[in-house]
Amino acid sequence: MKYNITVFLSLIFILFSCQNDNQKRIAENKKEIKKREIIFKNIEKRWVFYDTPITEASEKSIATWNELRMFLAELAQKPKKTIGAFQQKSKALSKKAMALNENIPLEFNKPQIKSRISTLITKVRLLDLFIHLDNIPDKKVTQLVAEINLELVSLQRQMDKIVEKSKIPVEEGESDLLKMMDTARAIPSTPIPNTPIDPNLPRVE
């Protein structure tokens, strides 16, 4: 009889323990779902990119610079509904950003443009990395969105500077001065063979 009571009490204890574990698990799941919803809302709210050209130079360049046009078009399409959609979008943006290094128009194929493209690519790839983490740091993701926008502005303003500089007319004699400063075109300092040496020139013994 005592044995039966002991077994019965043990079963009740096990049932209560299982019930408590289930309640804890349900509470944790609800907490995790709520946390993911907050992360999603924060990212969705601040996922706003400068997807249209802000300078005359960039506006004209998208007609010929296909990679820049496609990157801006990708930025313009905002994901919806799930965090998975934002993850897919960040992956697509990373690919489009990497392509900016290809087919840069000759006018903009300069170190100051390339350095800005490189920084922009780094920021976009970091965005892709952080948004794919199991525990998504939403503050870091939204910060990177803002930084990408700043890099886009910097790139387009630099493009504008290059265009404006190209419009400035070259002053008389400036082109000759630039040629003289070009070391590749410099006159060699070694004497030309078979030329008579002036005996009056000082010599180093």
Side-chain angles (χ1 to χ4, degrees):
M1 185 71 180
K2 285 182 181 179
Y3 175 77
N4 289 338
I5 292 170
T6 304
V7 170
F8 179 72
L9 290 173
S10 298
L11 286 170
I12 290 173
F13 177 75
I14 291 167
L15 285 170
F16 272 112
S17 296
C18 289
Q19 192 175 2
N20 286 337
D21 286 345
N22 285 337
Q23 285 174 347
K24 282 182 183 178
R25 200 175 295 113
I26 290 166
E28 284 173 4
N29 286 342
K30 283 181 179 178
K31 192 177 178 181
E32 185 64 27
I33 290 167
K34 192 172 182 179
K35 183 183 174 184
R36 284 180 171 272
E37 284 175 356
I38 292 168
I39 288 170
F40 171 76
K41 284 177 182 177
N42 287 342
I43 292 172
E44 185 186 36
K45 186 180 179 181
R46 292 173 175 82
W47 190 280
V48 180
F49 288 105
Y50 300 159
D51 52 56
T52 53
I54 61 164
T55 65
E56 188 181 346
S58 56
E59 191 173 359
K60 287 181 179 177
S61 71
I62 60 171
T64 53
W65 193 355
N66 190 45
E67 286 73 18
L68 179 61
R69 185 174 69 253
M70 289 177 71
F71 179 67
L72 293 176
E74 194 70 54
L75 287 176
Q77 298 168 9
K78 186 175 179 177
K80 296 176 182 178
K81 295 183 180 179
T82 65
I83 201 69
F86 283 91
Q87 289 171 333
Q88 287 177 357
K89 174 57 67 177
S90 64
K91 191 174 182 180
L93 284 173
S94 185
K95 287 181 181 178
K96 293 287 192 302
M98 292 287 287
L100 288 172
N101 270 326
E102 302 168 14
N103 305 317
I104 301 172
L106 188 62
E107 184 181 17
F108 301 123
N109 197 0
K110 301 183 186 300
Q112 56 267 44
I113 292 292
K114 287 182 175 180
S115 67
R116 281 164 175 78
I117 289 172
S118 178
T119 306
L120 178 62
I121 289 170
T122 301
K123 301 285 185 186
V124 174
R125 293 187 76 184
L126 279 171
L127 174 70
D128 186 35
L129 172 69
F130 282 117
I131 206 167
H132 277 92
L133 294 175
D134 290 334
N135 190 14
I136 300 169
D138 53 319
K139 288 182 181 178
K140 185 63 182 173
V141 168
T142 55
Q143 181 188 334
L144 280 164
V145 169
E147 289 175 9
I148 288 166
N149 281 331
L150 289 176
E151 294 306 326
L152 278 168
V153 170
S154 177
L155 172 64
Q156 293 180 65
R157 283 182 178 162
Q158 187 60 48
M159 290 165 67
D160 224 32
K161 283 181 185 178
I162 290 169
V163 170
E164 289 302 314
K165 194 174 180 180
S166 69
K167 290 177 182 177
I168 300 170
V170 178
E171 292 183 14
E172 190 177 344
E174 188 179 348
S175 58
D176 294 332
L177 181 64
L178 290 171
K179 285 178 184 177
M180 287 171 67
M181 290 171 68
D182 187 354
T183 54
R185 297 168 58 90
I187 299 168
S189 58
T190 53
I192 300 168
N194 302 324
T195 54
I197 299 171
D198 189 346
N200 295 323
L201 288 173
R203 293 187 297 170
V204 180
E205 297 293 339

